Amino acid sequence: MSNQPNDNLSTMTKQGYEKLMAELVELRSTGRAEISTLLEEARSFGDLTDNAEYAAAKEEQAKLEIRISYLENQLGKAKIIDTSTIDKSKVSLGTTVTIQDIINSREFRYTIVGSEESDPKCDKISSSSPVGQALLNRKVGDEVHVKVPRGVRHLRVKDISVLA
């Protein structure tokens, strides 16, 4: 079984899938209920043709429905990574990799995930990001040079582990 991305699938970890599913459930229930309340309140202001509150509520409803549709699509084509089959000898989706910046000796630890669950603030980087792409299939000790917006980063793979 390969843990490499596939264009027809939305590859993600079990945790990422569950997070998106929770968001979808929340939007379908609470999100829609809140929009419905806003629409009813805006309708109570009278004429809908010059009703800014109603127009704003309709716009929020459209954004909500677009997000719901997007999540349904992504979750419908989701391929959840089986962490028990991940080859820990190389960087792939679902692995956590410790890398060292060769220039300044700083170490970073990133989990390689699908684009849907990418969250750099939580050290989850997409396999399709410049750093993610450069790290895929690398082994401990490998060095990579990655062009990023701020220049070129010189990185060394220090450790590879699998999500818990």
Side-chain angles (χ1 to χ4, degrees), residues 88-91 138-142 156-160:
K88 294 176 235 172
S89 70
K90 63 182 181 177
V91 178
R138 300 297 181 154
K139 298 180 182 211
V140 172
D142 284 357
R156 179 180 297 121
V157 178
K158 299 289 282 183
D159 185 56
I160 302 167

Side-chain angles (χ1 to χ4, degrees), residues 37-136:
T37 301
L38 288 175
L39 285 168
E40 282 192 35
E41 185 178 314
R43 278 189 197 107
S44 71
F45 295 140
D47 185 13
L48 299 182
T49 56
D50 292 327
N51 190 327
E53 289 84 3
Y54 183 77
K58 289 298 280 182
E59 188 175 317
E60 286 302 312
Q61 181 183 39
K63 289 178 187 176
L64 176 83
E65 292 304 324
I66 288 169
R67 181 67 180 164
I68 288 172
S69 178
Y70 178 78
L71 289 172
E72 288 172 342
N73 182 45
Q74 294 303 308
L75 292 169
K77 64 180 188 175
K79 175 183 180 266
I80 299 174
I81 298 168
D82 181 357
T83 56
S84 68
T85 64
I86 292 177
D87 178 0
K88 294 176 235 172
S89 70
K90 63 182 181 177
V91 178
S92 65
L93 278 165
T95 59
T96 298
V97 59
T98 303
I99 54 176
Q100 179 183 32
D101 187 309
I102 297 170
I103 304 298
N104 63 24
S105 297
R106 288 184 58 203
E107 286 193 3
F108 303 90
R109 187 175 169 101
Y110 296 117
T111 300
I112 308 298
V113 295
S115 59
E116 285 308 308
E117 57 186 308
S118 175
D119 187 354
K121 292 178 184 172
C122 293
D123 298 327
K124 292 182 177 184
I125 61 171
S126 170
S127 60
S128 59
S129 70
V131 174
Q133 284 181 340
L135 291 173
L136 284 178

